[in-house]
Amino acid sequence: MIPSQKTGLAGIVIRMVRRMKWIAIARGHAMPEHMTASIGDGFDQSARDAVYRAVFTRRDVRSHFLPTALDDDVLARLLLAAHHAPSVGFMQPWNFIVIRDAGRREKVRDLFLAAREQELPAIGEERQALYRKLKLEGICESALNICITCDRQRSKGSPLGRWHNPEMDLYSTVCAVQNFWLAARAEGVGVGWVSIIEAQALKSLLSIPEHVTPVAYLCVGRVSEFAPKPDLEAHGWGRRLPLPELIMSETFSGQGEAPLKSTVARLNGADAAPATAAGQPVAPAVPQREPPKEASALSLSSLNFDDASASRASQAGSGTWPSMVPK
């Protein structure tokens, strides 16, 4: 019999201990190592709902920051969540530069403005006017900024997981960014990833050593709201691709997995998209130009993380699907 199935006095004690853990977390105390869940322990429905809610309502915040300070207790919890991200070879290559000084942030914003002008010619002429109107940062408006970096020498003595894929330290750092972002959403804290910055100029401004790569420059702070959909989607810059078109079977472009695709479409509140010719995925409504091959990890981040997420569920509340996902 597993602990969750125990009855009587033992079951009451177990439930009380677990409840005390969650009360401590709610009061702002990080969970100590000896209190972490053992292998096999699942989440109840409300906990699962909370995880999905954080995922689907997370936003890349640019324009809703409030002039409110962020408590160190809250920031500490977000950083602790980031520090518990998965890392290949347990290398933990990340560092977190907290930037509060208004003058320094103004200099970072100047770097953004310069980089934006450099990026503009790569945008199609028919879309440049829209590009200029987009609010793409909240560097000076947010409570503080954080630059998350990757120390590429930290695992120098251990090739575990990097011998064939040396970029895994960068990917691990991105996992720390995502952990930070989701924890922030759960705390009601907005995060905006500013990817339009020339990496070398940022390294110079923040005195980042040559062997350390800035991966994410984040604007962090309390916000007035979390928008119902990503800003770039709301302004017509792009749309979310239909997930069934992105699922392949066994090989790239391999056909199959019809039941899975149907389930995905049902959960997303839409009928499955019709198959395309030769099984090719639907092209984005807004094709993007290729970035320069020498682009840094910082500049490449915008390709995957600018449009963050809200899925719609027609079967809200059924199975393990969160009932609070906005429709």
Side-chain angles (χ1 to χ4, degrees), residues 18 27 59 62 117 128 137 140 144 154 185 192 203 205 207 227 239 251-252 261 271 318:
R18 287 181 174 173
R27 288 177 176 172
R59 290 290 174 266
R62 288 89 176 265
E117 290 304 309
Q128 289 187 8
E137 53 80 32
C140 296
L144 54 89
R154 186 160 298 168
R185 180 61 188 90
K203 291 178 70 169
L205 179 61
S207 300
R239 62 176 175 82
T251 60
F252 195 89
K261 295 176 182 179
D271 293 330
S318 65

Side-chain angles (χ1 to χ4, degrees), residues 7 9 11 27 64 71 75 166 172 201 219 236 270 323 325:
T7 58
L9 180 60
R27 288 177 176 172
H64 302 296
D71 292 342
L75 181 57
S172 296
C219 307
S323 57
V325 171

Side-chain angles (χ1 to χ4, degrees), residues 18-324:
R18 287 181 174 173
R19 181 171 296 179
M20 289 172 66
K21 293 180 187 178
W22 289 109
I23 291 174
I25 294 171
R27 288 177 176 172
H29 302 291
M31 184 182 291
E33 292 291 340
H34 67 276
M35 291 177 62
T36 55
S38 59
I39 296 175
D41 280 3
F43 289 6
D44 62 20
Q45 183 65 51
S46 62
R48 289 195 298 271
D49 287 349
V51 172
Y52 285 114
R53 181 184 176 193
V55 170
F56 292 127
T57 64
R58 182 196 62 83
R59 290 290 174 266
D60 192 348
V61 179
R62 288 89 176 265
S63 56
H64 302 296
F65 287 109
L66 297 172
T68 306
L70 189 65
D71 292 342
D72 277 353
D73 282 353
V74 176
L75 181 57
R77 291 197 294 271
L78 304 187
L79 292 173
L80 188 61
H83 187 50
H84 280 72
S87 66
V88 173
F90 204 45
M91 65 182 75
Q92 306 164 74
W94 42 71
N95 283 95
F96 308 93
I97 305 174
V98 180
I99 303 154
R100 303 180 191 269
D101 180 71
R104 191 182 306 276
R105 287 198 276 163
E106 287 175 0
K107 292 178 181 179
V108 174
R109 190 170 188 273
D110 289 342
L111 295 182
F112 160 80
L113 293 173
R116 184 168 179 166
E117 290 304 309
Q118 294 169 352
E119 186 176 73
L120 184 61
I123 306 296
E125 291 184 5
E126 71 284 359
R127 310 186 71 222
Q128 289 187 8
L130 173 58
Y131 177 83
R132 287 187 179 278
K133 293 179 181 178
L134 294 173
K135 172 71 171 172
L136 298 177
E137 53 80 32
I139 296 169
C140 296
E141 299 92 333
S142 56
L144 54 89
N145 298 172
I146 292 181
C147 183
I148 301 182
T149 65
C150 175
D151 186 337
R152 309 215 66 189
Q153 290 185 359
R154 186 160 298 168
S155 59
K156 188 175 181 180
S158 173
L160 176 61
R162 293 188 62 209
W163 182 256
H164 296 94
N165 298 288
E167 70 281 358
M168 294 309 296
D169 55 348
L170 293 169
Y171 299 161
S172 296
T173 305
V174 171
C175 289
V177 177
Q178 182 76 334
N179 269 24
F180 183 95
W181 215 334
L182 291 176
R185 180 61 188 90
E187 295 274 5
V189 174
V191 176
W193 185 329
V194 184
S195 58
I196 307 173
I197 298 181
E198 201 282 309
Q200 199 59 45
L202 184 66
K203 291 178 70 169
S204 177
L205 179 61
L206 302 183
S207 300
I208 298 174
E210 189 58 35
H211 67 278
V212 176
T213 299
V215 172
Y217 193 90
L218 306 177
C219 307
V220 183
R222 295 292 180 187
V223 294
S224 60
E225 65 172 315
F226 289 92
K229 61 173 59 176
D231 284 354
L232 295 183
E233 181 180 0
H235 290 290
W237 185 264
R239 62 176 175 82
R240 190 171 303 283
L241 298 175
L243 177 56
E245 294 287 350
L246 309 179
I247 298 173
M248 303 172 186
S249 178
E250 306 296 341
T251 60
F252 195 89
S253 295
Q255 299 301 295
E257 297 294 346
L260 173 62
K261 295 176 182 179
S262 177
T263 300
V264 167
R266 173 176 58 80
L267 289 176
N268 200 46
D271 293 330
T276 55
Q280 295 301 313
V282 174
V286 183
Q288 301 296 311
R289 296 189 181 185
E290 290 288 333
K293 292 183 178 180
E294 65 275 13
S296 67
L298 186 73
S299 63
L300 286 174
S301 64
S302 62
L303 298 180
N304 297 318
F305 296 95
D306 271 350
D307 276 342
S309 64
S311 188
R312 301 177 182 274
S314 62
Q315 303 295 322
S318 65
T320 61
W321 200 246
S323 57
M324 74 286 292

